[in-house]
Amino acid sequence: MITLVALRRLLAGNNPYKYISEYESKRGMNFFTDIRDWLGGYPYQSVSDQELQLFMGNQGFSLVSKKNTEPCRGLLGTACGEWVFRKN
């Protein structure tokens, strides 16, 4: 997994050593611990933006903001969607 992260950084024109060495100060978590935790999340089930908003609306919540909710493809580069809801 670490090799894939490094390769992705290299192909994007970035320095993988710098990314790993600065990771903790930027993300607040050790790079190697984060990789292990990330792998431990598989398998998982995704939800679409519309499905989540409908579900939360039915629970009495309204959307406040959202980020990274558009579908995308890519190995180690799909990011995580973020939604903020408020109870009505």
Side-chain angles (χ1 to χ4, degrees):
M1 181 56 63
I2 295 167
T3 304
L4 291 175
V5 171
L7 181 60
R8 180 176 183 271
R9 291 283 159 192
L10 280 172
L11 292 174
N14 299 313
N15 180 337
Y17 177 76
K18 181 180 178 189
Y19 175 77
I20 292 170
S21 65
E22 295 176 352
Y23 191 87
E24 189 166 353
S25 65
K26 290 183 177 185
R27 299 258 312 159
M29 187 171 196
N30 179 279
F31 173 79
F32 301 100
T33 301
D34 210 11
I35 290 289
R36 186 179 63 240
D37 288 351
W38 184 72
L39 285 173
Y42 284 108
Y44 63 87
Q45 185 175 356
S46 297
V47 64
S48 74
D49 181 42
Q50 292 172 335
E51 290 172 320
L52 182 60
Q53 288 189 56
L54 178 62
F55 175 82
M56 294 300 288
N58 290 338
Q59 304 301 312
F61 289 85
S62 58
L63 181 67
V64 174
S65 66
K66 64 182 182 174
K67 182 170 104 173
N68 295 328
T69 61
E70 295 298 317
C72 58
R73 299 184 191 276
L75 180 63
L76 307 176
T78 56
C80 293
E82 298 176 33
W83 293 262
V84 176
F85 291 91
R86 177 176 292 130
K87 183 75 170 163
N88 295 330

